[in-house]
Amino acid sequence: SGVRSVSVLGATGSIGDSTMDLLRASPERYQVEALTANTNVAGLAKLAKEFNARFVAVADPARLSELRAALAGTDIACGAGEGAIVEAAERPADWVMAAVAGAAGLKPALAAVDRGAHVALANKECLVCAGEFFMDRAAKAGATILPADSEHNALFQALASGNRDELTKVIITASGGPFRTWAAADIEQATLAQALKHPNWSMGQKITIDSASMMNKGLEVIEASWLFALSPDEIDVVVHPQSIIHGMVEFSDRSVVAQLGSPDMRTPIAHCLGWPDRIVGRAAPLDLAKIGTLTFEAPDYARFPGLKLAYDALRAGNGATTVYNAANEIAVAAFIAQRIRFGAIARLVEETMNSWIRAGNLAPLSCADDAIAVDHNARDMAAALLPQIAA
Ligand code: NDP
Ligand code: MG
């Protein structure tokens, strides 16, 4: 087939970098339509020129003149502000990587979904925030959602070997993060530098902290539930410190089908880029003899309460997962700003969920705008609870 047009939302981030690495390897196959960033004008302009993008956008509205100056002498169109990121997603690319960090990525990802594109979805927060509407709109528009998160990409690949009604459960693996073997009291006091030292994966700051708290696995349980229409009882988590097996599907005959690979996001992204075909990958080949041992442990809800809260949120429904995600985004930002201790991240999420329910706010949502409103209100509630959690 001919040249494929692609857009990358969040092109200057960790997932963006892995995506651009794959595009760079086959310049004859891809035409870059649009690229976006939040504030990194220099990085965005450099990519735009290298890939001869047609349109670029930064979310920060104050950086338009800076972006224009950086693109002077090219015919690359540009914009700034939240609307410009949505405009980038609306541009006619066949394939869109949704890799903005956080619920801020929801509106642009929906814009790509609504025009029926192939959407490689890395941005799990947008599914946790508004998953049911996201999947509905994808079905209505005929969009294809390609899970880019490594565990979900593994499930997507493993699911192809059976029928949906033959599935008994899915299992996603967790590395356990840097605090896997730490005592609760030490996790409570962990510093930002310690939380940012992930044993296996190199990722953006927010998801690295989520991995340390295992909130990331909680977000992924919810993500799996929306992506594959699974109940909480059908989703298991197993800690697997080597991060070689990413996800497994158990079928009724007790066959368990797994996907393996080096812990390198370029592999699931390559699967999304090539789908339904396979392209040449860029990760190091998997050498099992060199790795030697794969081990597994049950997750510990006592030391990592954020994981259990995800199941609670899924069971509560009615916007509770939106609240879970919103409170976590506030908590992680507060931890990065050194306003709360590491252990307080899960406490703020739990307290926000409890206060939300006590206030009688749990109610059925009927569209993505409802979820966006819950997201805003839950952020306000979490921010209001911060001082008492910090104390
Ligand atoms: P990064 O922080 O490395 O990159 C985020 C990207 O989004 C950057 O391009 C950033 O721009 C842009 N961005 C940030 N905030 C906004 C905003 N408010 N509006 C518009 N653009 C914004 O994150 P990652 O690449 O690590 O993660 C991206 C998403 O992918 C997350 O949802 C994460 O959970 C998910 N994911 C990541 C994995 C990984 O290995 N990194 C694995 C699986 C999922 P700028 O550079 O200007 O700040
Ligand atoms: Mg993952």
Side-chain angles (χ1 to χ4, degrees), residues 90-273:
E90 286 169 347
R91 309 258 320 190
D94 307 329
W95 188 94
V96 178
M97 167 53 79
V100 169
L106 176 61
K107 280 185 196 167
L110 279 172
V113 159
D114 284 342
R115 57 178 187 77
H118 289 79
V119 179
L121 192 65
N123 177 225
K124 63 192 87 188
E125 293 93 343
C126 78
L127 267 188
V128 176
C129 176
E132 49 193 318
F133 312 113
F134 195 89
M135 298 310 286
D136 274 0
R137 279 169 65 166
K140 286 208 181 85
T144 304
I145 306 293
L146 300 164
D149 204 350
S150 56
E151 298 77 3
H152 306 75
N153 185 265
L155 298 181
F156 186 71
Q157 295 194 46
L159 275 165
S161 64
N163 292 318
R164 178 64 183 76
D165 60 352
E166 296 157 347
L167 171 155
T168 42
K169 68 176 179 189
V170 305
I171 304 150
I172 59 178
T173 60
S175 69
F179 308 144
R180 179 175 63 89
T181 59
W182 286 32
D186 297 329
I187 296 175
E188 170 68 28
Q189 306 289 348
T191 65
L192 180 58
Q194 289 167 329
L196 287 175
K197 247 186 236 135
H198 196 280
N200 304 342
W201 298 94
S202 154
M203 310 182 285
Q205 204 174 41
K206 196 253 173 186
I207 184 175
T208 303
I209 291 166
D210 286 344
S211 298
S213 64
M214 290 194 77
M215 282 286 179
N216 181 51
K217 219 41 60 176
L219 295 168
E220 290 183 353
V221 166
I222 300 166
E223 179 186 14
S225 124
W226 298 132
L227 275 173
F228 305 112
L230 299 165
S231 72
D233 299 327
E234 292 173 316
I235 308 165
D236 277 3
V237 172
V238 67
V239 175
H240 166 43
Q242 297 80 19
S243 299
I244 298 299
I245 297 180
H246 304 297
M248 299 168 253
V249 177
E250 183 198 73
F251 292 102
S252 52
D253 60 5
R254 298 289 186 238
S255 280
V256 177
V257 180
Q259 185 262 357
L260 288 72
S262 308
D264 184 324
M265 286 307 294
R266 290 176 299 183
T267 300
I269 296 169
H271 178 261
C272 294
L273 251 184

Side-chain angles (χ1 to χ4, degrees), residues 350-361 381 385 388:
E350 179 165 25
E351 200 39 52
T352 306
M353 283 171 58
N354 287 342
S355 301
W356 186 266
I357 293 169
R358 271 201 305 274
N361 289 338
M381 185 178 266
L385 289 167
Q388 92 187 45

Side-chain angles (χ1 to χ4, degrees), residues 12 36-45 56-72 77-82 84-85:
T12 50
T36 77
N38 188 20
T39 58
N40 183 354
V41 164
L44 184 65
V56 297
V58 282
D60 181 354
R63 289 179 198 256
L64 183 58
S65 54
E66 197 186 329
L67 182 58
R68 281 209 181 109
L71 295 170
C78 67
E82 205 188 309
I85 306 291

